[in-house]
Amino acid sequence: MEKCTSKKKGVFNASVLANEQIGECFYRLSLAIEGQAAEAFNMTKPGQFAEFELSNASLPSEEKIPNELADKALRQIILRRPFSFSDIEITGNKGKLEVLYCVLGPATLRMKTLSPGDKISIIGPLGNGFSIEREKTLAILVAGGMGVPPLLHLAKELSKSKTKTIAFVGAKSGSQLPCSEIKNVQTLISTDDGSMGFKGFVTAMLKEWLVKEKPDVSKAIIYTCGPEIMMAGVAKIAGEFGIGCQVSLERVMACGTGLCQGCAVKCIDKKTKEAGYKLCCKDGPVFWADEVVF
Amino acid sequence: MEKCTSKKKGVFNASVLANEQIGECFYRLSLAIEGQAAEAFNMTKPGQFAEFELSNASLPSEEKIPNELADKALRQIILRRPFSFSDIEITGNKGKLEVLYCVLGPATLRMKTLSPGDKISIIGPLGNGFSIEREKTLAILVAGGMGVPPLLHLAKELSKSKTKTIAFVGAKSGSQLPCSEIKNVQTLISTDDGSMGFKGFVTAMLKEWLVKEKPDVSKAIIYTCGPEIMMAGVAKIAGEFGIGCQVSLERVMACGTGLCQGCAVKCIDKKTKEAGYKLCCKDGPVFWADEVVF
Amino acid sequence: MNKVDLTIDFAGLKLKSPVFTASGTCGYADELDDFMDIGRLGGFITKSITIEKRDGNPVPRIVETNSGMLNAIGLANVGVEKFIAEKLPLLKNYKTPFFVNIAGKTIDEYIAVAEKLAQFEQIAGFELNISCPNVKKGGITFGTDPQLIHQITSAVKKAGGKKILITKLTPNVTDISITAKAAIEAGTDALSMINTFTAMVIDIETRKPVLANRTGGLSGPAIKPIAVYLVNKVYNEVAKSANVPILGGGGIRSTADAVEFLIAGATAVSIGTASFIYPDTAIKIIDGIEDYCRRHKIERVGDLTGSLK
Amino acid sequence: MNKVDLTIDFAGLKLKSPVFTASGTCGYADELDDFMDIGRLGGFITKSITIEKRDGNPVPRIVETNSGMLNAIGLANVGVEKFIAEKLPLLKNYKTPFFVNIAGKTIDEYIAVAEKLAQFEQIAGFELNISCPNVKKGGITFGTDPQLIHQITSAVKKAGGKKILITKLTPNVTDISITAKAAIEAGTDALSMINTFTAMVIDIETRKPVLANRTGGLSGPAIKPIAVYLVNKVYNEVAKSANVPILGGGGIRSTADAVEFLIAGATAVSIGTASFIYPDTAIKIIDGIEDYCRRHKIERVGDLTGSLK
Ligand SMILES: Cc1cc2nc3c(=O)[nH]c(=O)nc-3n(C[C@H](O)[C@H](O)[C@H](O)COP(=O)(O)OP(=O)(O)OC[C@H]3O[C@@H](n4cnc5c(N)ncnc54)[C@H](O)[C@@H]3O)c2cc1C
Ligand SMILES: Cc1cc2nc3c(=O)[nH]c(=O)nc-3n(C[C@H](O)[C@H](O)[C@H](O)COP(=O)(O)OP(=O)(O)OC[C@H]3O[C@@H](n4cnc5c(N)ncnc54)[C@H](O)[C@@H]3O)c2cc1C
Ligand SMILES: Cc1cc2nc3c(=O)[nH]c(=O)nc-3n(C[C@H](O)[C@H](O)[C@H](O)COP(=O)(O)O)c2cc1C
Ligand SMILES: Cc1cc2nc3c(=O)[nH]c(=O)nc-3n(C[C@H](O)[C@H](O)[C@H](O)COP(=O)(O)O)c2cc1C
Ligand code: FES
Ligand code: FES
């Protein structure tokens, strides 16, 4: 995969422009950066990420914490949290970063209380993003639930090229999606409960489409992000159809910067055929599906 | 000392009405309480206190944390913090609590970021406050720096009785005081640097005044709150002149509710003359000066 | 599922719930009573009682640390005679099994306290504090030496007559299963684990330890993952096969924390430092455990004990 | 006061500053290099190197706890041969004394690694990891047994030729002064303390340990007060009189934390978990220590060591 790590990663301050709920599950955080930070994030590829320091933000007040997160909210966090971006816009020495996030635990509960003007520390850009393969004419995006955000960013980048893009987006139900379609992209939605679009898994919808539409697989590429089990399914389908596939994996990360070796991903060395660990934060989070041992 | 512990102490929510800096050192936090909380705090005596849960509030952003507190700010706090009140107003089932505080460490840094509408948990009212001795006709308040707040509350209570009140207030410099006079009370200020009022320690000013004014000591009483060394000085003067004296002590408190035994105050048992420990949170924070071993 | 059975069998005692308050963190019951119905507790453990009255250490006795605190109270207590005269009668007002935590400088002192208290019906049992790091003699030394543990445990068991004996272990040892085994072989009815870790905070401006006692015991959420590990280790290596229940604790603040200890192998849990922050923590956790069991279709809370997969 | 002398004498080595990065928390230097000038460090300690390549444990290898984290990386490393071939040449680019942390399953494995590395000039010395709680054999067992410590320390010291040997102690022992003494008597040049505490986090929904390895090592601010106490204890009881420097660490995030360790008796400090949060922590602390010394009119940072009143 083409190396797309920026050399200029660093520890930067970002200030909150907006933070609002969109849909049932997602929140959108917009951050302003400037100077060196803007420079560093200028060439960020979709799928790259940053590590957010959220431990100093306040918790929502008791009644605003969902019951199932009440005990988790008590944990005093010290580690940063990784987030990819749904959009990045840099103009000159100023920039805007956009994160779509779900509230799952102590860090994201704190993220929720950030308000305009607040400052947070981020480290980035980190990792290797999706590599846009110029020779492919059809990009198939497959997103599941929390995996949507980086694919929005990717869709935007793809829209600048001539690649035709189609997006398959799955969720438990329609209300859990951050958007009902991806801008400028033909979007097919599937929901587990059938409340929107195709009823069933996004992988089933993808397979059905491939069988029916018979795209030229040599010219197609799949980009996917979502729950690991879904991506494993997508990878399998990609293998069956002989389509190249990039997966954006998630691991619990202590550092995000290659220091701790916590974020191991079992991979097969394509040359030696031996299995071994790569690091999600440094070698990924985007991998070629056929090197990953799911 | 007359028992003035409220029976109805409890864990209550309070919501922030206002939080603003006053002078160089002090901030004023106003809290609204209602229902059971208002009932519980209705009979609160000046000098009683509450334990504030501040661990969930956010830290100020980096550039707003004074250099000397930067390392302290990193500590992840779990314990509550004790604060007395500068004023309490209860009307019906609603009430307003006012705290004057100085920013010294991780908890008060977090206190500073509270903004209107935020909710915090408080436990109170706790301890025994100043006991207003009805037969005394002259109340002498002696406050040092951070000890001013509860004496403001006391002054207000005293103003409801016929007791004549005079206040001696000391600080390092004039700008470090939360107010230049106590409402409706003759206020004499001393500053270490002479930037306001008497130049020197408040104890020196007190002694000078007692020598000069020769009040009827049998009808006078001293109430004091401030650094322990200052209060030890006040207690000594009170002893020399034969004036009854109540001191409001401070101890590091883990609980504030008599559970941990952390807040020991060495006292002489007036009957047995034996020294032993009392608890600042439960038996105090206000003690008769002549029982305390400074 | 309608009702969850929250009662537990604790060394032959049938207790209302699997939640205790920890020694030294809940006064003599009246302080906590203002905030909750202590009658719902599985057990209430008193502050350590010694043969003579102890004033305790000078202040500061407390210092906060990251997600924890050190204490060096120094076993401040009224002494066993005054305890019997003044505190014991009050305990009658509560429908809670009381466990008196015993400490001492010599084995004889332990025995003397146990003997004096053995006759009182209000007392359900004893917790043997051989692990307090804040007194100069005894305490920590007893708790790290398997032979001494054996000696003191069997002596106090005998002195206590029919009372349940819970031996409280210190984590400051290389292999806690060895000390646990010593207590079990000496006839303890239950194990309590863990007491605090010896620790120190230095004031860098004065270059002195913050605590007057120089060192103190670290408690609170900071130590929880170590405590869970140790409970699981002792459960697997000795307690389960010996059928000796574990009272687990160290850093519990929430229902989730308590359930971790139960799954790891504890039959009941103790709430210490958390009561300083929310005095009604123990009760909230009893309710929380009930909810958890219901949600997971666990009929008896005892079924959770040692259910780690 | 104009200039603070930040250099230290560390077992005969003159080091630029009293701040090291801790093993396993700073990759192989290049990752950290993006964030700071690692040339200013007193020393850089590599991840543990073993004779054979090790893949490490399955994921999750990491779980956060209150003010801390558990790790069970499982000594993932490229193996000594590949380390020599691929990583060692890179170290030449840095003007930092490198210490290679050595681990193994048998004493012979330790010796083999030390022998292979002894010849390389780029290496200032070794850190002997006899205390990693995340491998099944060796590791923790070595570190708790004074006799084994003696054996392995003297063997590696010999195998390492003239290289400085730092022995890294585990806190999971009853009396760390005894293990410290064993290492000193066996000829170690310095002590490193402390490694992590064995601990466990349980997922109460699945009732399984969160870590694939079940247990992990607790690091971070949560353990700091215990580490400070242990450093002070070893300094007073053995290291000071033996004139053996201590590399102190465990939970250091700020200058104040680092200064606590120096006052307690450490000659230098190591920064581990904190680098995950701010990768440039070590450098900020070097600057901070300089400020602290200037403010307190301390001319040589070495004067702070063991200055606890
Ligand atoms: C490279 C990368 C990019 C990411 N980008 C995004 C993003 O754009 N938007 C976003 O919302 N999140 C993203 N995440 C996930 C995000 O980092 C976590 O949601 C966050 O760390 C949760 O922190 P917390 O303290 O709130 O919850 P934690 O307590 O850390 O986690 C809460 C619970 O959720 C589980 N959990 C954690 N992450 C996930 C997950 N992804 N899916 C399901 N369960 C999970 C944990 O195992 C735990 O049980 C990304 C993660 C990685 C590695
Ligand atoms: C009964 C009682 C009533 C109180 N009322 C008030 C009040 O009305 N207003 C107010 O501002 N504070 C009051 N305090 C003090 C207040 O509790 C502390 O300032 C607070 O706990 C500091 O918390 P922190 O985390 O910000 O700082 P910490 O880190 O806990 O303390 C910071 C530093 O300040 C020192 N310190 C703590 N308290 C004091 C103090 N009082 N004077 C000087 N140094 C101190 C500590 O030793 C430490 O070095 C009261 C304390 C008690 C016991
Ligand atoms: C302030 C304080 C006082 C304590 N006193 C005693 C005591 O007298 N006897 C005893 O056996 N344990 C004592 N302990 C230890 C607790 O009972 C408990 O074992 C320990 O704090 C760990 O639990 P926690 O983290 O929930 O507090 C004390 C703990 C604290 C914090
Ligand atoms: C992710 C991680 C990996 C570690 N790997 C090693 C290792 O390979 N060898 C070793 O001796 N110590 C290892 N340690 C222990 C650290 O070097 C250090 O002793 C410990 O984390 C305590 O310091 P801290 O609290 O500053 O992190 C590791 C610690 C962490 C957090
Ligand atoms: S998260 Fe630390 S190496 Fe990847
Ligand atoms: S602060 Fe706990 S007893 Fe007073």
Side-chain angles (χ1 to χ4, degrees):
Chain A
M1 198 175 305
E2 179 195 343
K3 269 275 175 199
C4 29
T5 321
S6 160
K7 268 283 153 227
K8 289 174 254 160
K9 69 181 171 218
V11 184
F12 301 113
N13 278 323
S15 62
V16 175
L17 290 170
N19 192 13
E20 68 226 326
Q21 186 157 8
I22 48 169
E24 219 174 75
C25 285
F26 278 93
Y27 292 76
R28 186 195 293 118
L29 176 69
S30 308
L31 298 170
I33 50 172
E34 18 172 84
Q36 286 194 308
E39 219 177 290
F41 279 95
N42 194 16
M43 297 297 294
T44 310
K45 295 270 158 90
Q48 282 191 272
F49 66 100
E51 283 278 356
F52 287 59
E53 212 305 58
L54 297 163
S55 71
N56 296 336
S58 64
L59 273 181
S61 61
E62 221 180 304
E63 77 279 8
K64 286 189 190 141
I65 297 178
N67 255 339
E68 67 276 16
L69 297 186
D71 286 3
K72 280 187 185 161
L74 286 173
R75 196 167 86 230
Q76 300 199 284
I77 64 173
I78 52 164
L79 299 175
R80 290 174 181 257
R81 294 295 192 277
F83 292 91
S84 51
F85 300 97
S86 54
D87 195 14
I88 297 184
E89 272 172 40
I90 310 283
T91 343
N93 66 349
K94 295 200 176 207
K96 197 176 116 182
L97 307 175
E98 205 180 83
V99 177
L100 297 183
Y101 65 98
C102 304
V103 173
L104 295 172
T108 43
L109 276 167
R110 286 179 162 83
M111 201 163 191
K112 202 174 118 170
T113 67
L114 291 174
S115 52
D118 287 351
K119 296 216 171 78
I120 60 170
S121 164
I122 62 174
I123 300 180
L126 298 169
N128 296 305
F130 289 106
S131 106
I132 298 185
E133 307 287 306
R134 300 285 156 205
E135 75 283 6
K136 305 289 181 185
T137 53
L138 173 65
I140 303 169
L141 312 191
V142 188
M146 263 182 58
V148 175
L151 293 184
L152 295 178
H153 189 192
L154 178 63
K156 189 175 161 194
E157 286 301 310
L158 285 167
S159 75
K160 292 181 192 161
S161 70
K162 288 200 193 97
T163 321
K164 179 176 184 291
T165 306
I166 177 167
F168 296 82
V169 179
K172 287 207 179 105
S173 76
S175 58
Q176 299 199 354
L177 283 170
C179 52
S180 58
E181 61 169 353
I182 298 180
K183 220 170 144 191
N184 301 325
V185 171
Q186 184 193 349
T187 310
L188 301 175
I189 307 257
S190 75
T191 52
D192 299 359
D193 64 1
S195 58
M196 197 190 267
F198 179 93
K199 179 173 159 75
F201 288 148
V202 68
T203 39
M205 175 168 64
L206 170 69
K207 195 160 180 174
E208 219 170 72
W209 185 87
L210 288 171
V211 170
K212 204 169 114 212
E213 301 291 331
K214 296 192 184 56
D216 177 354
V217 297
S218 69
K219 294 277 177 212
I221 180 162
I222 298 178
Y223 301 102
T224 183
C225 187
E228 186 139 332
I229 181 144
M230 176 207 96
M231 291 194 284
V234 173
K236 195 161 158 256
I237 294 170
E240 283 165 19
F241 285 79
I243 307 175
C245 176
Q246 294 177 19
V247 296
S248 179
L249 298 181
E250 255 188 44
R251 285 293 178 271
V252 178
M253 294 184 176
C255 70
T257 49
L259 301 173
C260 77
Q261 309 233 29
C263 60
V265 175
K266 199 167 224 172
C267 288
I268 299 283
D269 190 305
K270 284 188 186 169
K271 277 181 247 149
T272 65
K273 304 284 170 207
E274 267 176 49
Y277 286 115
K278 289 193 171 184
L279 296 181
C280 185
C281 72
K282 217 183 135 187
D283 305 314
V286 178
F287 294 88
W288 283 107
D290 55 3
E291 65 174 329
V292 176
V293 183
F294 283 104
Chain B
M1 193 175 306
E2 178 196 341
K3 267 277 172 195
C4 30
T5 319
S6 161
K7 269 282 151 227
K8 290 176 255 160
K9 70 180 172 220
V11 184
F12 302 112
N13 277 324
S15 63
V16 175
L17 290 169
N19 193 13
E20 67 225 328
Q21 185 158 9
I22 48 169
E24 218 173 77
C25 283
F26 279 93
Y27 292 76
R28 185 197 292 120
L29 176 70
S30 307
L31 297 171
I33 50 172
E34 26 173 77
Q36 288 195 308
E39 219 177 287
F41 279 94
N42 194 14
M43 298 297 294
T44 310
K45 296 269 157 90
Q48 281 191 270
F49 65 101
E51 283 279 357
F52 287 60
E53 210 308 59
L54 297 163
S55 71
N56 296 337
S58 64
L59 274 181
S61 61
E62 220 181 307
E63 76 278 8
K64 286 188 190 139
I65 298 178
N67 254 339
E68 67 276 18
L69 297 185
D71 285 3
K72 282 187 183 160
L74 285 173
R75 197 168 84 228
Q76 299 200 283
I77 64 172
I78 52 164
L79 299 174
R80 289 171 181 261
R81 294 295 193 277
F83 293 91
S84 50
F85 300 98
S86 54
D87 195 13
I88 296 184
E89 273 173 39
I90 311 282
T91 345
N93 68 349
K94 297 207 171 191
K96 197 178 117 180
L97 308 174
E98 204 179 83
V99 177
L100 297 182
Y101 65 98
C102 305
V103 173
L104 294 172
T108 44
L109 276 167
R110 286 181 162 81
M111 201 163 192
K112 204 174 115 172
T113 67
L114 291 174
S115 52
D118 287 350
K119 297 217 170 77
I120 59 170
S121 165
I122 61 174
I123 300 182
L126 299 169
N128 296 303
F130 290 105
S131 108
I132 297 185
E133 309 285 308
R134 301 284 157 205
E135 74 285 4
K136 306 290 182 183
T137 54
L138 174 65
I140 302 168
L141 313 190
V142 189
M146 263 182 57
V148 173
L151 294 183
L152 295 178
H153 189 194
L154 178 63
K156 189 176 162 195
E157 286 301 308
L158 286 167
S159 74
K160 293 179 189 161
S161 71
K162 288 201 191 94
T163 324
K164 178 177 184 288
T165 306
I166 176 168
F168 296 83
V169 178
K172 289 210 179 106
S173 76
S175 58
Q176 300 201 350
L177 284 170
C179 52
S180 57
E181 61 168 354
I182 298 181
K183 222 172 146 189
N184 300 326
V185 171
Q186 183 192 350
T187 309
L188 300 174
I189 307 257
S190 74
T191 52
D192 299 359
D193 65 0
S195 57
M196 196 191 269
F198 179 94
K199 180 175 158 73
F201 289 150
V202 68
T203 41
M205 175 168 66
L206 169 69
K207 194 160 182 177
E208 219 171 68
W209 185 87
L210 287 171
V211 169
K212 204 168 114 211
E213 302 291 333
K214 295 192 184 58
D216 178 353
V217 296
S218 69
K219 295 277 180 210
I221 179 160
I222 297 178
Y223 300 102
T224 182
C225 187
E228 186 140 332
I229 182 144
M230 176 207 95
M231 293 195 284
V234 173
K236 196 162 159 255
I237 294 170
E240 284 165 19
F241 284 80
I243 307 176
C245 176
Q246 293 176 18
V247 295
S248 179
L249 297 182
E250 252 187 48
R251 286 293 178 270
V252 177
M253 293 183 176
C255 70
T257 50
L259 300 173
C260 77
Q261 310 234 32
C263 60
V265 175
K266 199 167 225 172
C267 287
I268 299 285
D269 188 306
K270 282 185 185 169
K271 280 182 243 148
T272 64
K273 304 283 171 210
E274 266 177 49
Y277 285 116
K278 288 193 170 185
L279 296 182
C280 185
C281 71
K282 214 182 137 187
D283 306 314
V286 178
F287 295 88
W288 284 106
D290 55 2
E291 65 174 328
V292 176
V293 182
F294 282 104
Chain C
M1 230 182 93
N2 290 324
K3 250 192 94 56
V4 177
D5 182 2
L6 282 180
T7 65
I8 55 162
D9 169 7
F10 192 78
L13 286 182
K14 179 153 173 151
L15 302 178
K16 257 169 285 183
S17 76
V19 181
F20 286 53
T21 50
S23 175
T25 64
C26 41
Y28 292 105
D30 47 333
E31 293 90 352
L32 217 46
D33 198 42
D34 289 333
F35 297 99
M36 68 183 197
D37 174 7
I38 73 166
R40 292 185 58 202
L41 290 174
F44 182 100
I45 306 180
T46 68
K47 174 94 196 146
S48 286
I49 303 293
T50 52
I51 188 79
E52 309 282 356
K53 154 179 190 293
R54 286 178 60 101
D55 283 342
N57 292 323
V59 292
R61 292 176 172 186
I62 295 280
V63 60
E64 198 184 28
T65 66
N66 283 283
S67 295
M69 61 175 280
L70 307 195
N71 85 81
I73 308 298
L75 299 182
N77 80 99
V78 294
V80 70
E81 298 292 356
K82 206 161 169 188
F83 176 78
I84 291 170
E86 291 178 9
K87 304 287 179 184
L88 212 48
L90 299 177
L91 300 189
K92 278 205 184 132
N93 305 330
Y94 305 104
K95 289 185 233 94
T96 321
F98 278 86
F99 294 83
V100 177
N101 182 296
I102 305 180
K105 287 197 292 281
T106 62
I107 294 192
D108 288 341
E109 284 189 14
Y110 279 92
I111 295 174
V113 177
E115 275 173 352
K116 280 191 203 296
L117 293 171
Q119 56 181 298
F120 295 100
E121 253 181 45
Q122 302 94 302
I123 299 173
F126 300 125
E127 184 181 54
L128 194 59
N129 179 4
I130 48 170
S131 48
C132 176
N134 298 327
V135 281
K136 290 276 140 59
K137 274 194 208 165
I140 198 68
T141 347
F142 289 129
T144 56
D145 180 331
Q147 278 193 307
L148 277 174
I149 293 176
H150 194 286
Q151 233 178 304
I152 195 168
T153 304
S154 47
V156 174
K157 176 73 198 160
K158 207 172 134 213
K162 290 205 197 104
K163 301 263 186 260
I164 295 288
L165 182 63
I166 309 171
T167 304
K168 187 165 185 180
L169 303 177
T170 172
N172 297 294
V173 293
T174 306
D175 187 348
I176 199 165
S177 290
I178 293 175
T179 48
K181 209 166 163 216
I184 290 173
E185 285 174 357
T188 196
D189 299 297
L191 297 170
S192 167
M193 55 190 294
I194 55 171
N195 213 318
T196 55
F197 286 86
T198 310
M200 182 186 268
V201 173
I202 296 171
D203 180 333
I204 64 165
E205 299 305 318
T206 63
R207 285 197 247 165
K208 285 191 219 161
V210 171
L211 296 178
N213 188 52
R214 300 184 74 85
T215 63
L218 177 63
S219 65
I223 66 171
K224 195 194 67 179
I226 315 182
V228 169
Y229 163 71
L230 293 174
V231 166
N232 186 244
K233 176 176 156 78
V234 167
Y235 179 76
N236 287 331
E237 295 178 5
V238 283
K240 186 184 178 183
S241 56
N243 200 18
V244 167
I246 297 172
L247 174 60
I252 296 177
R253 283 196 71 183
S254 68
T255 299
D257 297 337
V259 170
E260 268 194 87
F261 277 90
L262 297 175
I263 293 172
T267 297
V269 295
S270 68
I271 314 297
T273 305
S275 297
F276 302 161
I277 309 163
Y278 283 95
D280 54 353
T281 302
I283 294 300
K284 283 196 190 142
I285 287 178
I286 295 174
D287 292 338
I289 290 175
E290 189 172 353
D291 285 350
Y292 174 87
C293 287
R294 189 170 293 124
R295 203 149 46 75
H296 285 263
K297 310 217 182 324
I298 290 163
E299 283 173 30
R300 299 173 48 250
V301 68
D303 294 341
L304 268 178
T305 298
S307 62
L308 183 67
K309 289 175 203 162
Chain D
M1 235 183 86
N2 289 325
K3 250 193 94 59
V4 177
D5 181 1
L6 282 180
T7 63
I8 57 163
D9 169 6
F10 192 79
L13 284 184
K14 179 153 172 150
L15 302 180
K16 257 170 281 183
S17 77
V19 181
F20 286 55
T21 50
S23 175
T25 64
C26 41
Y28 292 104
D30 47 333
E31 294 88 353
L32 217 47
D33 198 43
D34 289 332
F35 297 98
M36 67 183 198
D37 174 6
I38 73 165
R40 292 184 59 204
L41 292 173
F44 181 101
I45 304 181
T46 68
K47 173 96 196 141
S48 285
I49 304 294
T50 52
I51 187 80
E52 308 283 354
K53 154 179 191 293
R54 286 178 60 100
D55 282 341
N57 293 322
V59 291
R61 293 177 172 185
I62 295 281
V63 59
E64 198 184 27
T65 66
N66 283 282
S67 296
M69 61 174 278
L70 307 195
N71 85 80
I73 308 299
L75 300 182
N77 80 98
V78 294
V80 69
E81 297 294 357
K82 206 160 168 187
F83 175 78
I84 291 171
E86 291 177 10
K87 303 289 178 181
L88 211 48
L90 299 177
L91 301 188
K92 279 207 182 131
N93 305 330
Y94 305 105
K95 286 183 233 97
T96 322
F98 279 88
F99 294 82
V100 176
N101 181 296
I102 304 179
K105 289 196 293 279
T106 62
I107 296 193
D108 287 341
E109 284 189 14
Y110 279 90
I111 296 174
V113 176
E115 275 175 351
K116 281 193 201 293
L117 293 170
Q119 57 181 297
F120 295 101
E121 254 181 45
Q122 302 94 304
I123 299 172
F126 300 125
E127 185 181 51
L128 195 57
N129 179 5
I130 48 171
S131 48
C132 176
N134 297 328
V135 281
K136 289 276 141 59
K137 275 196 209 164
I140 199 70
T141 347
F142 289 128
T144 57
D145 180 331
Q147 277 193 307
L148 276 177
I149 292 177
H150 194 285
Q151 232 178 304
I152 196 169
T153 304
S154 47
V156 175
K157 176 72 198 161
K158 207 172 133 211
K162 291 204 195 106
K163 301 267 184 256
I164 295 289
L165 182 63
I166 310 172
T167 304
K168 186 165 185 179
L169 303 177
T170 172
N172 299 294
V173 293
T174 305
D175 187 349
I176 200 167
S177 289
I178 293 174
T179 47
K181 211 167 161 216
I184 290 174
E185 285 174 358
T188 197
D189 300 296
L191 298 169
S192 167
M193 54 189 294
I194 55 174
N195 212 319
T196 55
F197 286 87
T198 310
M200 182 187 269
V201 173
I202 295 172
D203 181 332
I204 64 165
E205 300 305 319
T206 62
R207 285 197 247 166
K208 286 191 219 162
V210 171
L211 296 179
N213 188 52
R214 301 184 75 86
T215 62
L218 177 63
S219 65
I223 66 170
K224 194 192 69 179
I226 315 181
V228 168
Y229 162 71
L230 293 174
V231 165
N232 186 243
K233 178 176 155 78
V234 167
Y235 179 76
N236 287 332
E237 296 178 4
V238 284
K240 186 184 179 184
S241 56
N243 200 19
V244 167
I246 296 173
L247 174 60
I252 297 177
R253 283 196 71 183
S254 67
T255 299
D257 297 337
V259 170
E260 267 194 87
F261 278 90
L262 297 175
I263 293 172
T267 297
V269 295
S270 68
I271 314 299
T273 305
S275 296
F276 301 160
I277 308 163
Y278 283 95
D280 53 352
T281 302
I283 293 302
K284 284 197 188 138
I285 288 178
I286 296 174
D287 292 338
I289 291 175
E290 187 170 356
D291 284 351
Y292 174 89
C293 287
R294 190 170 291 125
R295 207 152 40 77
H296 286 262
K297 310 220 183 320
I298 290 161
E299 281 173 32
R300 297 175 48 250
V301 69
D303 294 341
L304 268 177
T305 297
S307 61
L308 184 67
K309 289 177 202 161

